[in-house]
Amino acid sequence: NGTDLYIDISDILENLHGVLMGSFEARKGKWGFFTDFVYMDVGAGRSDTRSFTIGGTPIPADVQADTHLDLRGNVITMAATYRMLAAPESHMDLLGGLRMNDVRNRLKWNLTGNVVSIPVGNRSGEASVEIRNYDAVIGATGRFNFGADRKWFAPYYVDIGAGDSDFTYQAMAGVGYSFGWGETLAAWRYHGTQFKSGEPFDELNFNGPMLS
């Protein structure tokens, strides 16, 4: 209903239950396949007590609320690739595939209280919203090689798509260095999905730096 929920990286690190990000790629000739996945589970709880007054005069009654909010998400992309450009200084692949967005937001609460010294019966409950969308995506990925012996490189990735969602997209760009036995990479990654009207979520966006 138009409510924005923004989670800063410091809050995520303080309240992280679990996170996993990875990718796998296979290639034969010009054709290839890759899958990329991101999983995150973050949550936090809070307790607070409120006393009551009438006209500024305290009355012998209070209530305590214990709440817990949990946000869990999976984003999985699978695609086939075809190498359109292959040269010592650069290569580029076209891609086409499928993306799944699976997001769940859950709130639990428990209310207890007293009137004078008489406890009031507990009130507890849970509310959650969940969405799982599948979208077709197309895009391109590749890298530019430069520097001495072309050990430095600039990778890039971009895709767009739609299906169960109105619109989904992802982009990544950075710089890396090849040691021969392996590579190190620093990049910035952005993912966004605009859901259709009437869904529990309006949109989902996450972005930040990545090291590998």
Side-chain angles (χ1 to χ4, degrees), residues 53-140:
T53 62
I54 297 179
T57 303
I59 61 174
D62 61 70
V63 63
Q64 177 171 324
D66 299 300
T67 61
H68 186 88
L69 178 67
D70 186 71
L71 177 65
R72 186 192 67 201
N74 295 279
V75 180
I76 302 174
T77 304
M78 295 182 292
T81 62
Y82 182 78
R83 181 142 296 182
M84 289 292 295
L85 174 64
E89 64 276 6
S90 66
H91 68 255
M92 183 182 70
D93 298 341
L94 298 182
L95 65 93
L98 186 71
R99 172 171 300 134
M100 182 191 76
N101 274 290
D102 183 9
V103 187
R104 181 181 181 183
N105 200 190
R106 180 174 61 183
L107 175 66
K108 292 183 177 181
W109 66 86
N110 184 57
L111 304 176
T112 58
N114 296 277
V115 177
V116 192
S117 59
I118 303 174
V120 180
N122 289 4
R123 296 291 186 269
S124 60
E126 176 181 323
S128 64
V129 290
E130 186 173 5
I131 188 170
R132 179 177 293 174
N133 280 10
Y134 295 91
D135 301 302
V137 296
I138 58 173

Side-chain angles (χ1 to χ4, degrees), residues 41-64:
D41 185 356
V42 61
R46 180 173 179 176
S47 298
D48 207 350
T49 301
R50 172 63 61 85
S51 299
F52 297 96
T53 62
I54 297 179
T57 303
I59 61 174
D62 61 70
V63 63
Q64 177 171 324

Side-chain angles (χ1 to χ4, degrees), residues 5-20:
L5 177 62
Y6 174 77
I7 304 177
D8 188 77
I9 183 63
S10 61
D11 295 325
I12 291 177
L13 294 177
E14 289 177 7
N15 302 285
L16 195 62
H17 295 167
V19 63
L20 182 66

